[in-house]
Amino acid sequence: MWGGRFASGPGAIMEEINASIDFDRHLYRQDIAASKAHADMLAKQGIITADDAKKIAHGLDTILSEIEAGKFSFKRALEDIHMNVESRLSELIGEASGRLHTARSRNDQVATDFRLWMRDTVDALDAALAGFQRALAEKALAHAGTVMPGLTHLQTAQPVTFGHHLMAYVEMMARDRGRFADARRRLNESPLGAAALAGTSFPIDREMSAKALRFDRPMANSLDAVSDRDFALETLSAASIASVHLSRLAEEIVIWTSPLTGLMKLSDKFTTGSSIMPQKRNPDAAELVRAKAGRVIGALNALLIVMKGLPLAYAKDMQEDKEGAMDALGALALSIAAMAGMVADLEPDAARMKKAAGEGYATATDLADWLVRSLNIPFREAHHITGRIVAKAAETGVALHRLPLSAMREIEPRIGEDVFSVLSVDRSVKSRASFGGTAPKNVRAQAKKWLRKLEKEKS
């Protein structure tokens, strides 16, 4: 591989640490596509003959078919996907294969391949996130009026609806998709033709090869083109935030399906049993989504640490960019699919959720708001009065809407019978009709709006 400079091959340990074919074989489609674009450009520029370009293209198509049919033999001694493809191309077409590497280096080759792979992966993740949004919005529409406890500090705060809760994640996923779209836009520049680090003396047309690979433009600086991996860092950053969002919902599913709360159930599709306790139904899919967030975040941290001290231009440290990223983005894709399945599978216990929503004096804020509206009491004073009424209800062991009117009037004599109109959880959620609020009509409107938007995206 190294021509005349080296008299012997690498030692066994060197071969082991140096080889990347075990993971960069996943770049084979991108590597072949980039090589075909490069060969076409070389021929158009008169750098190689049209006949050699034709042979190269035919040979690369043959290799692609062999790999996809599982008939290609990857060799660790050839280190990476680039040399494996080039070696096989030499076997297929002979001398013409040696002309393919004119005006390029493995440095710009791998940067190009990885950008293409990352772009394809981002597109697949975006489609998966859109599917997850649909699952969330459909479930939200079905449960726009299903009351559940809204929590802060894991303590009962105010009643909300299950649909409203799910729509929060639709919004989070929208921002995640936006982050991936931003990363895709910035990564969509072509390093091909930057060669090792300084460009090339051959009269290449980088615009042509960039266009053939559907890049927006060639990268403007050859040093930058081969030596930075910010496109991978940015994508992993977006992936890390998305995985955190998924992990938060996974944690909620674990809580909701616990017998301690019993708010919802998952079917056998997304639960497992115990090897010793026959009664167990464990939410393992949710727990694994929660755990996989660590792998994604870890991959981002690892690559940041790899890159932080590297001078320009390329260094072999950057070979560590792909394995972690591929593992992390694969874990994220699996997590999205699992979460979409679990959301569709969840069966809320509406009666139990409604009961839980009323516990802990969850409509206390509604009482305070009523005092402000009906008695023109400043909110801070209304808050104090409500606190005393809640304390009275707790002292007598009754729910807020079960506390006698006489007991309330002992604290605030002006309270009238109509106060009970705001103390039920159903009335509470219906009253939260401000933009972005939990009122069922809001949830239905938002869910339908998102479903229309997602359907439009597909067409």
Side-chain angles (χ1 to χ4, degrees):
M1 185 190 311
W2 309 118
R5 176 64 180 85
F6 288 76
S8 63
I13 297 299
M14 179 60 189
E15 182 176 312
E16 185 67 24
I17 196 172
N18 198 42
S20 59
I21 190 59
D22 293 342
F23 51 87
D24 69 17
R25 66 174 63 190
H26 297 297
L27 301 175
Y28 73 89
R29 289 189 188 89
Q30 292 80 14
D31 191 71
I32 289 171
S35 288
K36 289 176 71 174
H38 187 65
D40 286 345
M41 181 275 295
L42 292 176
K44 182 176 180 295
Q45 294 299 105
I47 298 170
I48 66 173
T49 67
D51 184 58
D52 280 346
K54 185 177 179 180
K55 289 177 182 176
I56 288 168
H58 178 72
L60 290 170
D61 286 339
T62 300
I63 293 168
L64 180 62
S65 298
E66 289 176 349
I67 294 174
E68 292 185 336
K71 297 178 180 178
F72 189 90
S73 177
F74 292 99
K75 299 181 175 107
R76 299 189 88 244
L78 294 173
E79 293 188 10
D80 56 31
I81 185 62
H82 323 298
M83 299 310 297
N84 270 267
V85 169
E86 187 173 322
S87 176
R88 178 59 178 148
L89 187 63
S90 178
E91 293 173 356
L92 289 170
I93 68 171
E95 183 181 284
S97 68
R99 303 188 187 282
L100 174 60
H101 209 54
T102 306
R104 77 173 184 185
S105 161
R106 282 197 298 176
N107 294 356
D108 62 333
Q109 192 177 359
V110 68
T112 302
D113 293 357
F114 197 24
R115 282 177 182 263
L116 290 171
W117 183 90
M118 196 68 77
R119 188 178 71 186
D120 292 342
T121 300
V122 166
D123 290 344
L125 287 170
D126 181 72
L129 287 168
F132 182 38
Q133 285 182 298
R134 277 191 292 275
L136 288 162
E138 286 168 359
K139 198 77 167 187
L141 186 59
H143 291 280
T146 303
V147 178
M148 70 179 295
L151 310 177
T152 61
H153 308 277
L154 267 183
Q155 305 295 311
T156 303
Q158 292 177 306
V160 296
T161 67
F162 184 39
H164 188 58
H165 196 109
L166 293 174
M167 289 304 298
Y169 285 98
V170 174
E171 298 293 334
M172 291 181 213
M173 294 305 115
R175 294 192 295 276
D176 289 329
R177 293 180 65 194
R179 277 181 280 271
F180 278 118
D182 288 344
R184 188 194 192 283
R185 177 172 55 83
R186 275 184 283 275
L187 72 81
N188 203 36
E189 296 184 347
S190 174
L192 194 57
L197 75 162
T200 178
S201 59
F202 289 96
I204 61 173
D205 183 349
R206 293 189 62 208
E207 292 280 356
M208 177 184 172
S209 56
K211 184 177 179 180
L213 294 170
R214 294 183 293 109
F215 284 117
D216 293 333
R217 64 192 67 83
M219 295 186 73
N221 184 284
S222 59
L223 287 166
D224 177 45
V226 300
S227 67
D228 205 358
R229 293 296 184 268
D230 58 358
F231 66 93
L233 290 168
E234 187 172 9
T235 303
L236 286 172
S237 177
S240 296
I241 297 170
S243 71
V244 167
H245 286 153
L246 296 178
S247 182
R248 295 182 73 184
L249 180 54
E251 168 68 5
E252 291 184 316
I253 290 174
V254 171
I255 293 170
W256 293 338
T257 58
S258 168
L260 296 174
T261 65
L263 300 182
M264 303 186 200
K265 290 182 180 178
L266 281 172
S267 75
D268 295 351
K269 292 179 183 178
F270 293 98
T271 56
T272 65
S274 164
S275 64
I276 188 173
M277 296 168 284
Q279 83 281 9
K280 292 295 294 297
R281 181 189 291 275
N282 300 322
D284 282 7
E287 291 171 357
L288 287 166
V289 168
R290 191 173 59 185
K292 287 183 186 298
R295 292 171 68 173
V296 181
I297 297 166
L300 170 61
N301 286 337
L303 187 53
L304 284 167
I305 294 165
V306 166
M307 296 300 299
K308 71 173 183 60
L310 297 186
L312 301 184
Y314 182 82
K316 199 60 179 273
D317 308 53
M318 283 189 274
Q319 183 167 286
E320 292 295 317
D321 59 355
K322 290 175 285 299
E323 188 172 14
M326 289 174 173
D327 176 78
L329 298 178
L332 177 60
L334 182 57
S335 295
I336 295 168
M339 290 303 300
M342 279 186 281
V343 165
D345 189 66
L346 275 173
E347 290 185 19
D349 185 333
R352 194 160 182 172
M353 288 166 67
K354 186 173 181 178
K355 182 176 183 296
E359 294 174 350
Y361 308 102
T363 57
T365 307
D366 298 273
L367 173 55
D369 290 346
W370 182 89
L371 293 169
V372 172
R373 283 195 308 271
S374 301
L375 304 182
N376 197 29
I377 296 173
F379 182 80
R380 281 300 170 202
E381 184 180 345
H383 184 283
H384 180 72
I385 293 168
T386 301
R388 292 176 62 196
I389 292 172
V390 168
K392 185 70 172 178
E395 180 185 320
T396 55
V398 298
L400 198 55
H401 68 286
R402 300 293 184 193
L403 187 67
L405 181 61
S406 59
M408 294 189 197
R409 283 177 168 168
E410 289 177 10
I411 297 167
E412 172 47 68
R414 292 176 291 167
I415 294 177
E417 188 77 33
D418 58 335
V419 71
F420 291 102
S421 67
V422 302
L423 296 183
S424 74
V425 293
D426 287 320
R427 288 183 180 272
S428 176
V429 296
K430 286 179 183 177
S431 73
R432 307 292 173 184
S434 59
F435 181 76
T438 191
K441 67 176 184 179
N442 286 12
V443 176
R444 290 188 188 96
Q446 284 297 311
K448 289 177 181 178
K449 179 181 176 181
W450 267 108
L451 288 169
R452 287 194 300 269
K453 176 180 171 62
L454 293 165
E455 188 61 32
K456 188 176 179 180
E457 285 180 5
K458 289 170 60 179
S459 59

